[in-house]
Amino acid sequence: MITPKLVQGDLLDQNVDVIVNAWNRNIFPWWLLLPQGVSGAIKREGGIEPFRELARMGSIPLGHAVLTGAGHLPFKGIIHVAGINLCWFATEYSLRTSVNSVMEIVARENFQSVAFPIIGSGSGNRGRKWALNIMLDEMKKLSSDAQVVIVEYDNCKKR
C-alpha cells in the first residue's frame, strides 16, 4: 500500500527524482496549446525541450504515461500522464489509470521518489477533493518502495 505524503506548495520545489505533469492525450501539438497550471510552470522553468520530446512520442492513450527529460529542471525526468479526455475532463478511469501508469514507470526506471500534482483538478475540470480521493484510493491498492508525494498547489506563493 502506498501512503503518500500530502504537502501544500509548488510541484517544482519538491526534492524528488521525478515529477508528474498532468497532460492531455498529446493529440494537439503542444505549441498550439497555452500550457497552464503544472504544464505552464514546467515550460516557464524547464524550457520547451520536454514538450518537444513529448511531441515526438505521438498520441498517448487515456490514462497512460510517458517519460521525458526534465529540461532545465533539477529532476531526473518528467512523467507526463494523459489524465484528461478529449472533452477536457478527468474521469475516475483516467485518474486511476494515470496513477498506475506513473508508478509503473517509477518502478521500471528505479526512481526513488516521485511528486504528483492533483491530476484532473485544473484543466481536467474536477474538484481537488474529488480527484485527490480517487488518487489516494488507487494508491492504497499499489505497493512501491519509492517515496510518493502529492502536492496541492499553494496559489498564494509566487515564483
Side-chain angles (χ1 to χ4, degrees), residues 71-102:
H72 303 298
L73 295 171
F75 307 109
K76 293 180 180 178
I78 300 170
I79 301 173
H80 306 266
V81 295
I84 58 176
N85 63 27
L86 292 176
C87 296
W88 298 92
F89 275 95
T91 64
E92 184 172 341
Y93 171 83
S94 70
L95 294 182
R96 290 183 186 281
T97 308
S98 291
V99 167
N100 279 285
S101 296
V102 167

Coordinates of all heavy atoms in Angstrom, one line a residue, residues 71-102:
G71 N 14.4 18.9 -19.0 CA 14.8 20.2 -19.4 C 15.8 20.9 -18.5 O 16.7 20.3 -18.0
H72 N 15.5 22.1 -18.1 CA 16.3 22.9 -17.1 C 16.0 22.6 -15.7 O 16.6 23.2 -14.8 CB 16.3 24.4 -17.4 CG 16.6 24.7 -18.8 ND1 17.9 24.5 -19.4 CD2 15.9 25.3 -19.8 CE1 17.9 24.9 -20.6 NE2 16.7 25.4 -20.9
L73 N 15.0 21.7 -15.4 CA 14.6 21.4 -14.1 C 15.6 20.5 -13.4 O 16.2 19.6 -14.1 CB 13.2 20.9 -14.0 CG 12.1 21.9 -14.5 CD1 10.8 21.2 -14.7 CD2 12.0 23.1 -13.5
P74 N 15.7 20.4 -12.1 CA 16.6 19.6 -11.4 C 16.2 18.2 -11.1 O 16.6 17.5 -10.2 CB 16.8 20.3 -10.1 CG 15.5 20.9 -9.8 CD 15.0 21.3 -11.2
F75 N 15.3 17.6 -12.0 CA 14.8 16.3 -11.8 C 15.5 15.3 -12.8 O 16.1 15.7 -13.8 CB 13.3 16.2 -12.0 CG 12.6 17.3 -11.1 CD1 12.0 18.4 -11.6 CD2 12.6 17.1 -9.7 CE1 11.4 19.3 -10.9 CE2 11.9 18.0 -8.9 CZ 11.3 19.2 -9.5
K76 N 15.3 14.0 -12.5 CA 15.9 13.0 -13.5 C 14.9 12.9 -14.7 O 15.3 12.3 -15.7 CB 16.0 11.7 -12.7 CG 17.1 11.7 -11.7 CD 17.2 10.4 -11.0 CE 18.3 10.4 -9.9 NZ 18.4 9.2 -9.2
G77 N 13.7 13.3 -14.6 CA 12.8 13.3 -15.7 C 11.4 13.8 -15.3 O 11.2 14.2 -14.1
I78 N 10.5 13.9 -16.3 CA 9.2 14.3 -16.1 C 8.3 13.2 -16.6 O 8.5 12.7 -17.8 CB 8.8 15.6 -16.8 CG1 9.7 16.7 -16.3 CG2 7.3 15.9 -16.6 CD1 9.6 18.0 -17.1
I79 N 7.3 12.7 -15.8 CA 6.4 11.7 -16.3 C 5.1 12.5 -16.7 O 4.5 13.1 -15.8 CB 6.1 10.6 -15.2 CG1 7.4 9.9 -14.8 CG2 5.0 9.6 -15.7 CD1 7.2 9.0 -13.7
H80 N 4.7 12.4 -17.9 CA 3.5 13.1 -18.4 C 2.4 12.1 -18.5 O 2.5 11.0 -19.2 CB 3.8 13.6 -19.9 CG 5.0 14.5 -19.9 ND1 5.0 15.9 -19.8 CD2 6.3 14.2 -20.1 CE1 6.2 16.4 -19.9 NE2 7.0 15.4 -20.1
V81 N 1.3 12.4 -17.9 CA 0.1 11.5 -17.9 C -1.0 12.1 -18.7 O -1.2 13.3 -18.7 CB -0.4 11.1 -16.5 CG1 0.6 10.3 -15.7 CG2 -0.9 12.4 -15.7
A82 N -1.7 11.3 -19.5 CA -2.9 11.7 -20.3 C -4.0 11.6 -19.3 O -4.8 10.6 -19.4 CB -3.0 10.8 -21.5
G83 N -4.2 12.5 -18.4 CA -5.2 12.5 -17.3 C -6.5 13.0 -17.7 O -7.4 13.0 -16.9
I84 N -6.6 13.6 -18.9 CA -7.9 14.2 -19.3 C -8.3 13.7 -20.6 O -7.5 13.5 -21.5 CB -7.9 15.8 -19.2 CG1 -6.8 16.4 -20.1 CG2 -7.8 16.3 -17.8 CD1 -6.9 17.9 -20.2
N85 N -9.6 13.6 -20.9 CA -10.1 13.1 -22.1 C -10.2 14.2 -23.2 O -9.8 15.4 -22.9 CB -11.4 12.3 -22.0 CG -12.5 13.2 -21.5 OD1 -12.6 14.4 -21.7 ND2 -13.5 12.6 -20.8
L86 N -10.6 13.9 -24.4 CA -10.7 14.9 -25.4 C -11.7 16.0 -25.2 O -11.7 17.1 -25.8 CB -11.0 14.2 -26.8 CG -9.9 13.3 -27.3 CD1 -10.3 12.6 -28.6 CD2 -8.6 14.1 -27.5
C87 N -12.6 15.8 -24.2 CA -13.6 16.9 -23.8 C -13.0 17.7 -22.7 O -13.7 18.5 -22.1 CB -14.9 16.2 -23.5 SG -15.7 15.4 -24.8
W88 N -11.7 17.5 -22.3 CA -11.1 18.2 -21.3 C -11.6 17.9 -19.9 O -11.7 18.8 -19.0 CB -11.0 19.7 -21.5 CG -10.3 20.0 -22.8 CD1 -10.8 20.2 -24.0 CD2 -8.9 20.2 -22.9 NE1 -9.8 20.4 -25.0 CE2 -8.6 20.4 -24.3 CE3 -7.8 20.1 -22.0 CZ2 -7.3 20.6 -24.8 CZ3 -6.5 20.3 -22.5 CH2 -6.3 20.5 -23.9
F89 N -12.0 16.7 -19.6 CA -12.5 16.2 -18.3 C -11.6 15.1 -17.8 O -11.3 14.1 -18.6 CB -13.9 15.8 -18.4 CG -14.9 16.9 -18.2 CD1 -15.4 17.5 -19.4 CD2 -15.2 17.4 -17.0 CE1 -16.3 18.6 -19.3 CE2 -16.1 18.5 -16.9 CZ -16.6 19.1 -18.0
A90 N -11.3 15.1 -16.6 CA -10.7 13.9 -15.9 C -11.9 13.0 -15.5 O -13.0 13.5 -15.2 CB -10.0 14.3 -14.7
T91 N -11.7 11.7 -15.6 CA -12.7 10.7 -15.2 C -12.1 9.8 -14.1 O -10.8 9.8 -14.0 CB -13.1 9.8 -16.4 OG1 -12.0 9.1 -16.9 CG2 -13.7 10.7 -17.5
E92 N -12.9 9.1 -13.5 CA -12.3 8.2 -12.5 C -11.4 7.2 -13.1 O -10.3 6.9 -12.6 CB -13.5 7.4 -11.8 CG -13.0 6.5 -10.7 CD -14.1 5.9 -9.9 OE1 -15.2 6.4 -9.9 OE2 -13.8 4.9 -9.2
Y93 N -11.7 6.7 -14.3 CA -10.9 5.8 -15.1 C -9.5 6.5 -15.4 O -8.5 5.9 -15.2 CB -11.5 5.4 -16.4 CG -10.6 4.6 -17.3 CD1 -10.4 3.3 -17.1 CD2 -9.9 5.3 -18.3 CE1 -9.5 2.6 -18.0 CE2 -9.1 4.6 -19.2 CZ -8.8 3.3 -19.0 OH -7.9 2.6 -19.8
S94 N -9.6 7.7 -15.9 CA -8.3 8.4 -16.3 C -7.4 8.6 -15.1 O -6.2 8.5 -15.2 CB -8.6 9.7 -17.1 OG -9.1 10.7 -16.3
L95 N -8.0 8.9 -13.9 CA -7.2 9.2 -12.8 C -6.5 7.9 -12.2 O -5.3 7.8 -11.9 CB -8.0 9.9 -11.7 CG -8.5 11.3 -12.0 CD1 -9.2 11.8 -10.8 CD2 -7.3 12.2 -12.4
R96 N -7.4 6.9 -12.1 CA -6.8 5.6 -11.6 C -5.8 5.0 -12.5 O -4.7 4.6 -12.1 CB -8.0 4.6 -11.4 CG -8.9 4.9 -10.3 CD -10.0 3.9 -10.1 NE -10.9 4.3 -9.1 CZ -10.7 4.2 -7.7 NH1 -9.6 3.7 -7.3 NH2 -11.6 4.6 -6.9
T97 N -6.0 5.1 -13.8 CA -5.1 4.5 -14.8 C -3.8 5.4 -14.8 O -2.7 4.9 -14.9 CB -5.7 4.5 -16.2 OG1 -6.9 3.8 -16.1 CG2 -4.8 3.7 -17.2
S98 N -3.9 6.7 -14.7 CA -2.8 7.6 -14.6 C -1.9 7.3 -13.4 O -0.6 7.2 -13.6 CB -3.2 9.1 -14.5 OG -3.8 9.5 -15.7
V99 N -2.5 7.1 -12.3 CA -1.7 6.7 -11.1 C -0.9 5.4 -11.3 O 0.3 5.3 -11.0 CB -2.6 6.6 -9.8 CG1 -1.8 6.0 -8.7 CG2 -3.1 8.0 -9.4
N100 N -1.6 4.4 -11.8 CA -0.9 3.1 -12.1 C 0.2 3.3 -13.1 O 1.3 2.7 -13.0 CB -2.0 2.1 -12.6 CG -2.7 1.5 -11.5 OD1 -2.2 0.6 -10.8 ND2 -4.0 1.9 -11.3
S101 N -0.1 4.0 -14.2 CA 0.9 4.2 -15.3 C 2.2 4.9 -14.7 O 3.3 4.5 -15.1 CB 0.3 5.0 -16.4 OG -0.7 4.3 -17.0
V102 N 2.0 5.9 -13.9 CA 3.1 6.6 -13.3 C 4.0 5.7 -12.4 O 5.2 5.6 -12.6 CB 2.7 7.8 -12.5 CG1 3.8 8.4 -11.6 CG2 2.1 8.9 -13.3

